[in-house]
Amino acid sequence: MDILYQIFIDPFVQMVQVPDLFVQTLWEGLVSGVLYALIALGFVLIFKASGVFNFAQGIMVVFAALTLIGIYTQLRGWGVRPGDLAAFLALFITVGVMFVLAVGVERLMLRPLVNQPDIILFMATFGLTYFLIGLGELVFGGEPKVMIADDLHLPRGSIDLKILGGLVSLQKIDIAAAVIASIMVATLAVFFQRTRIGRALRAVADSHKAALSVGISLEQIWVIVWFAAGIVALATGIMWGARSNVSFALQIIALKALPVLILGGFTSIPGAIVGGVIIGVGEKLGEFYWGPLLGSGIESWLAYFIALAFLLFRPQGLFGERIIERI
Amino acid sequence: MRSPTGNEIAAGEAILSVENVSLAFGGVKAISDVSLDIRKGEIRAIIGPNGAGKTSMLNVINGFYTPQKGRITFKGATRTKMRPHEAALGGIARTFQNVALFRGMTALDNIMTGRSLKMHSNFFWQLLRHGPAMREEVEHRKRVEDIIEFLEIAHIRKVPVGVLPYGLQKRVELGRALAMEPDLLLLDEPMAGMNLEEKEDMSRYVLDVNNFYGTTIALIEHDMGVVMDLSDRVVVLDYGRKIADGTPDEVKANKAVIDAYLGVAH
Amino acid sequence: MLYREAGQFKSTYEADAAVFPLRQDRIGIAVILVLAFVVIPLTGSSFVLSSVMIPILVFSLAAIALNILTGYTGLISLGTAGFMGVGGYACYKLTSAFPGINILVHIALSGVFAAGVGVLFGLPSLRIKGFYLAVATLAAQFFLSWFFIRVPWIYNYNVSGAIEVPTRTLFGVPITGPNATPMARYYVVLGFVVVMTWLASNLVHGRIGRMWMAVRDMDIAAELIGIRLYPTKLLAFAVSSFYCGVAGALMVFLWLGASEADSFNINQSFLILFMVIIGGLGSLIGSFFGAAFIWGLPIAMRVAPEYLGLTINSATVEHLQFMVVGALIIFFLIVEPHGLARLWQIGKQKLRVWPFPY
């Protein structure tokens, strides 16, 4: 009896009794949700346009952030001043690196594996992940790094709201992240629906062979889409790194994008945001209000169980396409 | 042959009857109010232009799709919905338009999977691969080898099916269906993509299966020559509706059928 | 003309259905068994037994487990290490509670526990396919990792959170704990692996193996033949998890002699997945190849610089290992997606017609 009370009544009582804490937790959930969504966005881009589930998206986020910091440090080492010049120069160069990465992946991994079943490509991205982990550690070292938030002119500080009888504190960087994410989602959604290249990308996702037969250059499409995913990864890395340090642990957190994709659908760009927010909020609320019952740290698996529950009732996610099997 | 209700179905009586079945996918009406029957021991052809609903009809018969309206009576038992593996249990086997073989396995293993329903040795004997498990394996291997010999594919039985040419794949698929020892065999375009010689071989197999084993056969086919030569009765579908039903000669002369094939508006 | 089947006629289906129909294959197996049971223990150093052979055997068993689920039945699993952990901790709890019963029994029983947990997490598998199933197994993996840390009962409330393996004996010889010699441990592990590989081989070559492969290749067609998908998938989960559990128990009790919070984390799951990919999906012998390769490569990379006269620091070597493994996975998938096992088969094919080219 007591345990039922603890699960079903107590947490909600707490939410009402200390509402500012509830809103704060809600906000924290929203923030991490936005970041999950950004990672998921990279997945969706590549999946939507090439049918490949890019397991390496997480490490691409880390790698992009590390490259940015590394190049900045090197530029400063060469005497480039002032700081923000170095930062934006480094940003520019990192974008170039992500382009080179996209070309490399296309030439060395995607082209030789064209027409192979999706599962083979999925496993290849495992290989890519490990490769980038090794390369990243080799070139940049394994210790956590600090993101160059100031020199990139990212907002600092917080907005403190005295509401609901208490204090709710919103970090400005988080608001910036939400805004940037929304802009990216909107731009990409329009791009896919309205432009010629967007249409070509969707054609490639449907069938490599068919796309080839109408003259779409698979190579160009793949480079474009992996480059775009690389840009998204860079933005994600910057935002995430600005909140907490950049380390390889991020790569495992990126696995959380899977539950996000399940909720939002693997091919839906707006779905990534919605899914991200639901998972982020669900996770934070779950950890804060129900965590103490089970012992802390349930954040590490709660997202997957939420996704699992969802899968049992709606396998295609909120926005995904219904899979009809024809035989 | 005994139906679940215990009544014997005599040769010539309907082993399967489809009554007023309608099937739609979203807005697309695949089948509209179609009734037909299949008599035990006959070869029944289902023909019609592309998109007429022929494959959908087969899918309804073996339980893959559930019709929104109508009933199916098989071996005396009526039901509206049947799960695919219940159809298999009941004695329905089929082949597919796009050969649905298990590509990771050899031809022999593919046909052996057709015996799955008849192999019961329990898990622990399977672990040891001895005693009842081995006896069962050998016994069913014998039956499968009979089918392999019948279909003249002994020379490729250890070959992984993925590398076999299309015609041989279709033969292996037929073998897998035959391994189930079905009462009703559904063949979806068994001659598709074959040359004349292959078609003659396949026709011979179909006829032999019908004659020797007494298996009732329903087949979808586009080659009119094959249809006219092989089948006892023909049903014609067009845009999901039945437009003719009778012997090959009756159907051949039917004006509605001719119009449908020539594309005359009707 | 060594390896050919010309002249070997089978007069019964039983003979043809044997797992190793060719005489040369049977001789080969005999040679391998002699090597494993006699030559290696006599000639190998403690290091070779403890740090090379035992780990490779344990991982081979885990790779077989994953192969059964993913390679033969087509169900993606990222939770292998978690299920291994269930076996490891179950064995610990069992032997703590019943120290009088032989440890071999406990090891087998821990497989049963792992099978139960595996079936539990496999229950959603009917409605979920492909990548989605990977999520269910990830949920299992992260949940179990958390469970092994946060539930103190599992490690008998030990303050450090780790478990130390008590001494257990077989016929009076200590086989677990600090007094167990590498050779004793090696024989126990070898025994388990040989027996369980034989059982797995039997399953996979018979009707159950065919059912699994049918479900993997085209589950719709399998259903229409009368194969019931759900029981078949659950059986795969059960058998696979059983093997994981035993591998985990062997890992804790006969290899590491201990276990800590991180022993069964997601990275280990990935490692075993790589073994299966490189070794060859759907191949038992590939499991051994993959385990030997993935385990042996870092050792080779650590030792090679010395032989080449170069000095590279160990951190760099580790980073290079990651890069090499990653690149090799991509390389294998391009060149031979069916892994080392297929290369082995091709090699045997060439041997069949040797010295002729084809």
Side-chain angles (χ1 to χ4, degrees), chain C residues 241-265:
Chain C
S241 309
F242 178 84
Y243 274 67
C244 280
V246 173
L250 291 176
M251 183 171 180
V252 171
F253 276 76
L254 284 121
W255 169 13
L256 299 173
S259 165
E260 23 175 70
D262 239 9
S263 300
F264 297 107
N265 63 17

Side-chain angles (χ1 to χ4, degrees), chain B residues 85 104 121 127 129 137 141, chain C residues 16-17 202 207 210 217 228:
Chain B
H85 108 268
S121 79
L127 272 177
R129 198 174 164 81
E137 183 91 4
R141 173 73 185 268
Chain C
D16 194 51
N202 289 342
R207 79 174 165 88
R210 283 193 293 267
D217 285 341
R228 286 160 61 225

Side-chain angles (χ1 to χ4, degrees), chain C residues 3-343:
Chain C
Y3 188 72
R4 60 186 168 135
E5 42 195 312
Q8 296 187 40
F9 296 106
K10 328 275 189 314
S11 52
T12 63
Y13 289 128
E14 182 154 2
D16 194 51
V19 173
F20 293 111
L22 293 186
R23 201 184 339 122
Q24 287 89 342
D25 278 332
R26 288 199 282 269
I27 295 178
I29 289 286
V31 167
I32 291 176
L33 287 176
V34 165
L35 268 174
F37 276 96
V38 178
V39 176
I40 290 184
L42 288 180
T43 61
S45 66
S46 286
F47 172 78
V48 164
L49 287 178
S50 273
S51 307
V52 177
M53 291 311 300
I54 292 183
I56 290 180
L57 285 173
V58 168
F59 276 125
S60 297
L61 202 59
I64 289 179
L66 186 57
N67 238 325
I68 288 176
L69 196 54
T70 304
Y72 284 98
T73 318
L75 300 168
I76 302 181
S77 170
L78 293 173
T80 319
F83 296 127
M84 283 172 76
V86 173
Y89 283 100
C91 197
Y92 181 66
K93 296 297 294 180
L94 280 171
T95 197
S96 310
F98 303 105
I101 299 185
N102 192 299
I103 188 73
L104 298 185
V105 173
H106 287 314
I107 293 178
L109 280 179
S110 34
V112 175
F113 272 99
V117 174
V119 167
L120 199 64
F121 280 97
L123 286 176
S125 72
L126 180 62
R127 299 207 60 182
I128 311 177
K129 288 184 179 190
F131 296 138
Y132 298 136
L133 191 61
V135 172
T137 56
L138 268 182
Q141 172 64 57
F142 284 119
F143 176 76
L144 289 168
S145 283
W146 172 85
F147 189 84
F148 297 143
I149 304 177
R150 290 281 181 229
V151 179
W153 169 82
I154 204 85
Y155 41 84
N156 285 347
Y157 300 97
N158 197 327
V159 170
S160 67
I163 61 180
E164 266 172 51
V165 160
T167 303
R168 293 286 182 266
T169 66
L170 181 66
F171 307 130
V173 177
I175 53 174
T176 72
N179 293 326
T181 65
M183 195 181 300
R185 292 186 284 126
Y186 171 76
Y187 272 118
V188 173
V189 171
L190 184 63
F192 265 101
V193 171
V194 165
V195 169
M196 288 180 74
T197 305
W198 174 65
L199 293 176
S201 167
N202 289 342
L203 272 186
V204 148
H205 282 93
R207 79 174 165 88
I208 294 183
R210 283 193 293 267
M211 276 164 48
W212 284 338
M213 290 192 273
V215 167
R216 173 196 68 194
D217 285 341
M218 201 175 282
D219 55 357
I220 303 171
E223 238 190 327
L224 293 168
I225 290 183
I227 295 175
R228 286 160 61 225
L229 293 185
Y230 208 22
T232 307
K233 290 183 185 181
L234 284 182
L235 184 65
F237 266 106
V239 174
S240 170
S241 309
F242 178 84
Y243 274 67
C244 280
V246 173
L250 291 176
M251 183 171 180
V252 171
F253 276 76
L254 284 121
W255 169 13
L256 299 173
S259 165
E260 23 175 70
D262 239 9
S263 300
F264 297 107
N265 63 17
I266 181 93
N267 287 314
Q268 181 148 302
S269 288
F270 288 146
L271 210 65
I272 300 172
L273 182 63
F274 296 157
M275 291 177 192
V276 163
I277 294 176
I278 286 188
L281 277 166
S283 157
L284 289 179
I285 193 172
S287 312
F288 286 91
F289 286 150
F293 188 86
I294 295 274
W295 187 254
L297 182 72
I299 298 182
M301 284 181 74
R302 254 201 303 268
V303 179
E306 286 174 42
Y307 280 107
L308 295 173
L310 306 162
T311 33
I312 314 181
N313 79 47
S314 63
T316 311
V317 172
E318 213 185 294
H319 305 323
L320 284 173
Q321 280 167 14
F322 269 80
M323 288 176 70
V324 169
V325 169
L328 275 173
I329 289 181
I330 298 180
F331 175 75
F332 265 99
L333 287 172
I334 293 175
V335 162
E336 183 46 80
H338 299 276
L340 290 169
R342 175 60 61 90
L343 288 177

Side-chain angles (χ1 to χ4, degrees), chain B residues 123-142:
Chain B
F123 179 72
F124 292 102
W125 283 117
Q126 284 291 329
L127 272 177
L128 299 175
R129 198 174 164 81
H130 196 67
M134 209 54 203
R135 279 197 292 276
E136 194 180 61
E137 183 91 4
V138 171
E139 177 203 323
H140 289 284
R141 173 73 185 268
K142 285 203 193 95

